[in-house]
Amino acid sequence: MSADAEKVAGELRAQLPEPHGPVLPGDRHRLLREHLMNEIHQAQAQAQDKARGEKAPAAIRPRRNRAWYAVPVGMVAAGALAFTFLAGPGGTGGDTGYHLSAAPVVKVEVGSANGVGALMENVAERASQGPAARVGVNQFVYVRSHYSNMQAEGDGPFKLKTYYREAWTSQNPDKVRSRLKQPGDDIIWSAPRDGDEGLAEWNRNHTYAALEKLPTEPGALLKKLRADAAYSGSSDQNLFEYVAGLIDENILPPETGAAIYRAAAKIPGVVALDRAQDGDGRPGVALARTDERDHERKELVFDANSYDYLGMRAYLVRNTELGKKGTVTEMQAVLDRGVVDSRDETPKK
């Protein structure tokens, strides 16, 4: 890396959250990570052009976050989201704390496009057999996960930050009262402000009732999902990330879930993997896609026998400024799901 690129990396690294600070999956750290990569590439290109005596190119516009499926990026950038912190750093309740460790390096398995159809048909069949949940408009979908994401630590190499995360997703489409709890953060999201119709529509689209109304023919559903995902870009990777976001912290109606998995099999560039692991190291099989922009592959991991969704894992498929080939950048293991009456409850065992 050139001296200019090193300087840019150092400056942007300082903007990433400190290890003790709040970290939301898909939140500002990931926007900054992508911005960091763009700035590094720009600095490298400018250094090369300068060495050749050429005029430096115009500044590269950082691309919109590919994986922020929790809320539309533009809404956050514009300050359209209101929230209340229930606890700051050091807050208590549930599983607390986190640990930083060197990111593991995994073997980059060879995927098969030919195996996608059979894999996702098995997953879809399993989803269709699940019991239909009764989710009322004033209830919450609760999901508890073990989560890891890439974290800056001073001037040293990036580390993997691992912690437990709990989410209560409101089913009221007009009063967003969802809650997120993880080490250092306990946040209540408020209703969209007047005029924030894009965010209000996003919330309505992700309730159990709205999911029940989606088309169940895979081709028609894929077209609908692509349109819904357009707020973050029109690429196939944006679509894949959007589908992943429907799966990981949600409860899907059986018929809709089966259709979503069959539609996911039709996304260009997806491959099937016979060997994969979720964020807790549980083995499984996976549907995966590689983001051509930063050479990161994301796996949606399913149990190899039951075909239940286990979680996800993301890692680099080639050497980049973020790490060498196989470096894990993000992991999740879903540990519990259920429907509760308030954002202070967890599902009864």
Side-chain angles (χ1 to χ4, degrees):
M1 190 185 297
S2 70
D4 287 341
E6 288 279 10
K7 180 180 179 181
V8 169
E11 292 173 349
L12 290 170
R13 185 190 302 274
Q15 299 179 50
L16 287 165
E18 291 298 321
H20 60 273
V23 178
L24 306 182
D27 208 320
R28 185 171 179 264
H29 76 284
R30 200 179 303 190
L31 287 171
L32 287 167
R33 189 181 84 181
E34 291 196 347
H35 183 59
L36 173 135
M37 296 303 299
N38 278 286
E39 291 292 325
I40 289 174
H41 294 156
Q42 179 186 346
Q44 289 176 328
Q46 289 176 339
Q48 292 170 358
D49 290 340
K50 184 177 180 180
R52 292 193 298 264
E54 299 175 6
K55 183 178 179 180
I60 300 173
R61 179 180 179 270
R63 70 173 182 272
R64 188 174 292 182
N65 180 4
R66 68 195 184 285
W68 198 336
Y69 42 72
V71 287
V73 177
M75 298 293 177
V76 178
L81 288 177
F83 52 84
T84 301
F85 284 95
L86 298 185
T92 61
D95 293 287
T96 59
Y98 61 86
H99 70 269
L100 291 172
S101 61
V105 178
V106 300
K107 180 181 179 181
V108 178
E109 302 283 351
V110 177
S112 168
N114 293 332
V116 168
L119 168 62
M120 298 313 289
E121 185 59 33
N122 286 333
V123 173
E125 282 295 320
R126 175 67 182 97
S128 70
Q129 297 166 9
R134 297 178 62 88
V135 188
V137 69
N138 293 317
Q139 291 184 300
F140 298 81
V141 168
Y142 171 87
V143 178
R144 179 173 176 266
S145 301
H146 201 199
Y147 191 84
S148 302
N149 53 17
M150 189 166 276
Q151 177 79 29
E153 187 181 33
D155 295 327
F158 288 100
K159 296 289 186 72
L160 210 61
K161 180 173 182 174
T162 301
Y163 50 94
Y164 289 93
R165 159 187 171 99
E166 294 174 285
W168 290 260
T169 302
S170 171
Q171 299 300 294
N172 189 325
D174 297 312
K175 293 183 179 179
V176 182
R177 298 172 293 119
S178 299
R179 179 186 181 189
L180 171 67
K181 182 165 73 170
Q182 60 192 28
D185 295 290
D186 200 340
I187 300 170
I188 300 296
W189 300 99
S190 302
R193 299 173 186 171
D194 292 340
D196 294 335
E197 185 56 32
L199 177 57
E201 181 180 359
W202 189 97
N203 291 320
R204 297 185 192 111
N205 288 344
H206 284 69
T207 64
Y208 191 89
L211 292 171
E212 284 187 307
K213 297 176 182 177
L214 286 174
T216 54
E217 192 283 315
L221 177 57
L222 191 66
K223 183 177 180 179
K224 166 67 171 159
L225 295 178
R226 189 179 289 278
D228 289 346
Y231 68 79
S232 59
S234 60
S235 73
D236 294 326
Q237 185 65 24
N238 286 109
L239 175 59
F240 182 76
E241 296 281 1
Y242 184 83
V243 169
L246 287 177
I247 296 168
D248 68 348
E249 285 189 341
N250 219 335
I251 292 178
L252 301 177
E255 192 175 4
T256 302
I260 286 174
Y261 291 127
R262 291 186 176 112
K266 296 179 176 293
I267 298 175
V270 295
V271 297
L273 298 170
D274 293 332
R275 289 182 294 273
Q277 289 185 348
D278 72 356
D280 264 7
R282 296 178 296 191
V285 292
L287 180 73
R289 194 180 193 284
T290 297
D291 190 336
E292 300 87 355
R293 294 167 293 186
D294 58 9
H295 314 292
E296 182 184 60
R297 174 192 276 177
K298 185 167 191 172
E299 302 174 341
L300 306 181
V301 184
F302 305 90
D303 185 276
N305 297 311
S306 70
Y307 295 105
D308 288 325
Y309 178 76
L310 297 178
M312 67 86 182
R313 181 174 67 171
Y315 50 85
L316 303 174
V317 297
R318 59 175 286 183
N319 296 338
T320 77
E321 290 87 347
L322 287 178
K324 65 181 182 178
K325 179 179 178 179
T327 299
V328 173
T329 57
E330 188 177 16
M331 295 189 294
Q332 177 211 29
V334 174
L335 305 178
D336 193 14
R337 295 180 193 263
V339 180
V340 295
D341 292 328
S342 81
R343 58 189 176 219
D344 297 315
E345 295 181 14
T346 57
K348 296 179 175 62
K349 302 301 182 183

